[in-house]
Amino acid sequence: MKITVVGLGYIGLPTAILFAKYGNTVTGVDLSPVMTDNLNAGRIHIEEPGLETDLQEALALNKFHASTTPVNADAYIIAVPTPNKNDEYKSCDTAYVESALASITPFLKKNDTIIVESTIAPRTMADVVQPLIEKQGFTVGQDIFLAHCPERVLPGNIMHELVHNPRIIGGITEQCTEKAAAVYGEFVEGEIIKAQAGEAELSKLMENTYRDVNIALANELAKISNYLEIDALRVIEMANKHPRVNLHQPGPGVGGHCLAVDPYFVIAAAPEQSPLMQTARQVNNSMPEYVVENVKEIMEQRDGNTVTLFGLTYKGNIDDIRESPAMEIKDMLVKEGFDVKSFDPHVISAPLTGEEACEDSSLIVVLSDHNEFRTIPTAYTDKMRTPMIFDTKNMVQNVGEQVVYANYGNLHEMTKDKAQYQFN
């Protein structure tokens, strides 16, 4: 099979490489000539275990080539970003999807399959994608086969999960679903779930909205517990002993191109019917400010003005800073007048070593749960003016005896005036 994948980001590139690894002739398309040149030389631009090795294998098989323009294929996969619009409900911006579709239309022929992997709002396939294809004179379901196949993978384990996770295939027609299912049958070993396009669109969005809502509940619990001077983490631990309770962990906010974005696509599609989702977004969006307010209170009791951030990514063990609450917290602390240093071994733009970032610092704030942060070496804390850690991810396991350690369990013991942000 000849496959063209448009968009070589965190999902498009692994997908393209896997199709090639399994024997298909794949052209990966991206607008950046630097990126495509690097890929053709065997160099990747994202951090993902196993990806570079698989790329080099696909290149050795002569099955993968990166290009800035599409080529003729049997199947076209669209994996481009879908950011929020700057409107009232932050609705889904399909501009990149529409541009990607326009780029492949000169190559379309009868019996081709087009699959949109990009996360999209409900009814986008029917209301946006299908009309664009039919304007070219094709009949969807007879000449061209359209389906939405949302990605459902965890960064850091993408290469495994793309193969083994269940895959939802939502076609415009039943025949569209069958054609798209045959494409993914090239490498997917997990269950192929056949659905309608709208079902697939909403299912993906609700997977992420479910997590967003439950994280909001945990974050609100952290605020309530801090106000009431109760250990939130102990409460969560005990409540989760119940066989039908699974409270999530609180954190510094919600980031990434899924959880912080996707709920708005549902909200925008049905604003009157989604008050719970809107409230959850408000709670999670408030967490960076909540972290900063607590940092300010802690620093009022410390000597010095330097704060060190451990982690800039939105989750652990990856290099992705998209929608990261850590980046928002960093900007807010700078605006508050703090001298802010950052240490993140996964992010190129944070080049300081742990020792350098902790030099003369009065507080470490852990914002990403990288494995490297499970133990904070004394070589770091010995460099500090006053060694203290505020662990917003509740993940640090080992610190020196002289280090003051705070998390959402004992935060109320470290701060003074809690009433001002009781339920922000």
Side-chain angles (χ1 to χ4, degrees), residues 71 178 188 275 302:
V71 298
E178 295 296 332
V188 172
R302 312 298 290 176

Side-chain angles (χ1 to χ4, degrees), residues 285-318:
N285 285 341
S286 76
M287 291 308 292
E289 181 179 0
Y290 184 73
V291 169
V292 169
E293 289 301 317
N294 279 284
V295 168
K296 287 167 60 179
E297 285 202 35
I298 290 171
M299 289 295 288
E300 285 177 3
Q301 305 167 56
R302 312 298 290 176
D303 181 28
N305 191 54
T306 300
V307 177
T308 302
L309 305 183
F310 271 34
L312 296 177
T313 63
Y314 76 89
K315 69 184 297 290
N317 305 318
I318 63 171

